Amino acid sequence: MDDSNSKNDSMRAGSRFAGKVAVVTGAAGGFGRAIARRLAEEGAAVALADIDSGKGKRTTAQLAGRGARVLFETVDVSKGEDVRRLMERTCGAFGGIDILVNNAGYCHRARPLWKLAEADYDRVFEVNTKSVYLGVVHGVPRLLERGGGVIVNTASIGALRPRPLITAYNATKGAVITLTRGLATELAPHGIRVNAVNPVAADTDFMKGPSGGRKLDDAGRDVLQKTIPLGRLAEPADVAAAVAYLASDDAAFLTGVCLDVDGGRSIG
């Protein structure tokens, strides 16, 4: 689902993040695009990062056309030099970093774990888990320069209620939850809050990963929706709203929280 409005739409006035600078990885589409847009709508300057340069630049241009202060950097979040360059360029353009959203993700094709190629196993851990480590290594010093800040990681409800055939993916998101909680205790004395969101499945291009490149069809959508008490898949705007809340002063006393954005799937 496209989270954008018409091309002639302008960014609505917002002040919750006025004067703040955010970095959002995996921002070319899906959850990341919605998160970047939501933060920009509410006043933040936003650095968008993605491995897909074409799509990322188009998304960034769309936001700039609506009046947002944005930049785009092509980044492989599993590469330390790429992440370092992202943080450096963001600080050079906007003066610092206040909010880091480690959102980039990858899912291997659905199959039993014992049939998953070693390269696919390595890649899913690099993109989903190592990326959080690299974001922290290169991002925390920048947050400290501003006297503190917020980190929000994208995990998954699959970490708590795993689906079959994507076991390695689920494991990476379990690691993201553990990283989030551990980092919350490490960074609290430094004025940095660390939280996560646990989304349920959404009808975005991300779903092409487990399906081998195919879009989610009606039958697949129906199967997934039947497991969700509220009766629908997540929308990017749902996740963006949760991230914006956790990144804002409205959540000033929340750290180590892993918020289920799942329509009740974790309890259904």
Side-chain angles (χ1 to χ4, degrees):
M1 177 173 290
D2 186 0
D3 56 275
S4 62
N5 293 325
S6 68
K7 292 183 178 180
N8 294 325
D9 186 27
S10 60
M11 303 299 288
R12 67 172 182 264
S15 61
R16 188 158 58 160
F17 299 112
K20 301 294 186 181
V21 179
V23 172
V24 181
T25 66
F31 295 159
R33 178 173 59 191
I35 292 165
R37 178 182 170 128
R38 180 64 182 259
L39 296 177
E41 285 177 338
E42 297 201 42
V46 183
L48 294 82
D50 204 284
I51 199 168
D52 188 332
S53 298
K55 194 173 179 182
K57 289 175 181 178
R58 288 193 296 273
T59 296
T60 305
Q62 289 167 0
L63 294 179
R66 298 185 179 103
R69 295 179 62 214
V70 289
L71 64 81
F72 175 75
E73 187 76 13
T74 304
V75 172
D76 180 339
V77 293
S78 72
K79 306 297 183 185
E81 179 57 26
D82 280 18
V83 178
R84 184 203 64 77
R85 187 181 68 250
L86 167 65
M87 304 302 175
E88 184 175 83
R89 186 176 174 214
T90 302
C91 290
F94 299 134
I97 299 170
D98 304 286
I99 301 164
L100 170 60
V101 183
N102 290 309
N103 169 75
Y106 165 76
C107 188
H108 55 83
R109 186 167 184 175
R111 63 188 58 220
L113 183 63
W114 67 89
K115 295 183 179 180
L116 185 67
E118 183 176 355
D120 289 333
Y121 180 89
D122 288 344
R123 185 60 179 165
V124 75
F125 272 88
E126 287 175 350
V127 175
N128 295 352
T129 304
K130 185 181 179 183
S131 63
V132 176
Y133 159 73
L134 291 174
V136 168
V137 166
H138 297 288
V140 165
R142 300 300 193 172
L143 296 175
L144 292 175
E145 290 172 358
R146 304 273 272 196
V150 184
I151 299 171
V152 183
N153 301 317
T154 299
S156 171
I157 204 62
L160 306 178
R161 292 284 302 276
R163 295 188 189 275
L165 305 182
I166 52 170
T167 296
Y169 170 80
N170 293 330
T172 67
K173 295 305 187 176
V176 171
I177 289 176
T178 301
L179 284 166
T180 297
R181 290 175 172 161
L183 284 166
T185 63
E186 289 184 3
L187 294 174
H190 302 284
I192 298 174
R193 297 187 297 107
V194 188
N195 294 301
V197 290
N198 298 331
V200 76
D203 191 1
T204 66
D205 284 347
F206 182 81
M207 294 299 291
K208 293 180 180 179
S211 68
R214 299 186 306 275
K215 292 194 70 173
L216 191 64
D217 59 22
D218 291 341
R221 187 179 299 104
D222 185 59
V223 168
L224 292 173
Q225 288 179 162
K226 286 180 178 178
T227 69
I228 301 170
L230 287 184
R232 67 170 175 85
L233 303 184
E235 297 181 1
D238 297 323
V239 178
V243 170
Y245 166 65
L246 291 172
S248 76
D249 289 342
D250 292 335
F253 201 54
L254 299 185
T255 196
V257 168
C258 299
L259 182 61
D260 299 341
V261 188
D262 71 338
R265 179 176 178 268
S266 59
I267 59 174

